[in-house]
Amino acid sequence: MLKDKIAAFIEKIRAVDGVIACALVSRDGIIAGKYFDRELNEPWFGALTATILASAESAGNLIGMKSLGPVTIWAADSSILVMGAGDHFLIATLLKGTTKQEEAYSRIGAVASEIGRVM
């Protein structure tokens, strides 16, 4: 049941135009579900994306930000988007450089909201 829910969320994220790879990661860095188009050290990826989001949230709290949006790491041909998905999970995606960012953020944000409600 849980495995099926996670797989369905991964498919919803993969359906967003521009998504190359994605993972549903616990807030403590454990990958719960994934789709990767390349070989990578999955435990490190999970741990690092959780650390990135936690660090951004902590920095935001220090300066009084009320609500933190996604964290983006830009590169020449792609970007990594890390977004909270409720109290227990985050979504990490690799996006093509040509992706329409606002549209992708909105659609992935909708999936993140759904995850936050049901998991």
Side-chain angles (χ1 to χ4, degrees), residues 22-38:
C22 62
L24 182 60
V25 182
S26 70
R27 291 279 182 154
D28 58 357
I30 307 298
I31 293 180
K34 67 186 182 329
Y35 168 77
F36 293 127
D37 68 333
R38 63 198 70 205

Side-chain angles (χ1 to χ4, degrees), residues 18-20 74-79 94-101:
V19 171
I20 300 169
W74 300 96
D77 62 346
S78 60
S79 61
L94 177 62
L95 300 170
K96 294 177 194 171
T98 57
T99 301
K100 295 178 183 171
Q101 298 293 324

Side-chain angles (χ1 to χ4, degrees), residues 32-45:
K34 67 186 182 329
Y35 168 77
F36 293 127
D37 68 333
R38 63 198 70 205
E39 291 292 319
L40 57 95
N41 185 322
E42 294 175 19
W44 273 108
F45 183 78

Side-chain angles (χ1 to χ4, degrees), residues 47-83:
L48 292 172
T49 56
T51 300
I52 289 165
L53 187 61
S55 296
E57 289 173 341
S58 293
N61 285 334
L62 285 173
I63 60 171
M65 292 177 127
K66 301 292 183 212
S67 178
L68 183 71
V71 177
T72 305
I73 302 167
W74 300 96
D77 62 346
S78 60
S79 61
I80 298 173
L81 168 71
V82 183
M83 177 184 294

